[in-house]
Amino acid sequence: MTTHPAETVHDALRDEACDDTWWMPAPDDFAACALSSSARTVAEARRFTRATLEGWKLCAGVAEDAALVVSELVSNALRYGGGAGGKRGRGEALAALCPAWLALTRQGATVLCAVSDAGVGAPVVGPQDTLAESGRGLQIVDCLSDAWGWTPPDRSGKTVWATVSQRG
């Protein structure tokens, strides 16, 4: 299920029956880390995700799906979110030091994975090409997540998010 621009990442976990309130995670239900542009960053983000979800005692299936979703979101953030080829917002100096941030939060058995970067371009799901060597990242995110989307890009960039829950 694809969800396109959300007002905030909180919209992804908000209970629609409670329109006037939004959910704030407990301190033990939130984790975040700064991401570098190192070649090891995607692998480190996967390890961070797995370790965090293991600490939260979520099932291995959720942890693996979330780790793969995070892998794709981080890869896209580093490739398109303000790096050499990406269009940046005003946070260019900060983006040079820390090109992206990963945040994880949970509500019950659902995990929200959010990656923020300085890019001002909206994510684009490319056409399926069975012979292409790349370009399937957001299709993978779409398949493994309950919903995904992004905040409207502004001067400071955007956040691309996905929710992952236990299946079956």
Side-chain angles (χ1 to χ4, degrees):
M1 170 187 194
T2 304
T3 305
H4 294 286
E7 290 300 313
T8 69
V9 292
H10 296 292
D11 291 344
L13 288 176
R14 182 172 44 197
D15 180 2
E16 294 302 326
C18 302
D19 290 330
D20 293 352
T21 62
W22 55 275
W23 172 79
M24 178 60 108
D28 292 339
D29 294 334
F30 178 81
C33 68
L35 302 171
S36 72
S37 57
S38 161
R40 297 183 308 267
T41 299
V42 175
E44 290 168 354
R46 279 193 305 267
R47 279 193 295 277
F48 176 81
T49 300
R50 285 187 188 111
T52 299
L53 301 186
E54 182 180 303
W56 289 343
K57 309 260 188 275
L58 291 173
C59 77
V62 171
E64 287 307 310
D65 286 352
L68 186 51
V69 164
V70 162
S71 195
E72 297 301 334
L73 296 180
V74 170
S75 293
N76 284 350
L78 296 177
R79 185 171 185 179
Y80 303 110
K87 293 182 181 177
R88 288 186 182 175
R90 288 203 176 172
E92 290 186 39
L94 180 59
L97 298 172
C98 171
W101 285 87
L102 166 62
L104 302 169
T105 189
R106 72 171 174 164
Q107 183 176 24
T110 299
V111 177
L112 171 71
C113 310
V115 177
S116 300
D117 62 54
V120 295
V124 176
V125 179
Q128 289 187 351
D129 181 350
T130 56
L131 300 177
E133 293 182 13
S134 64
R136 294 182 186 87
L138 291 177
Q139 293 167 356
I140 292 170
V141 170
D142 191 51
C143 287
L144 294 178
S145 64
D146 303 317
W148 73 276
W150 62 92
T151 59
D154 62 18
R155 295 180 348 189
S156 62
K158 68 180 173 309
T159 298
V160 182
W161 57 267
T163 58
V164 178
S165 300
Q166 186 170 342
R167 301 188 187 276

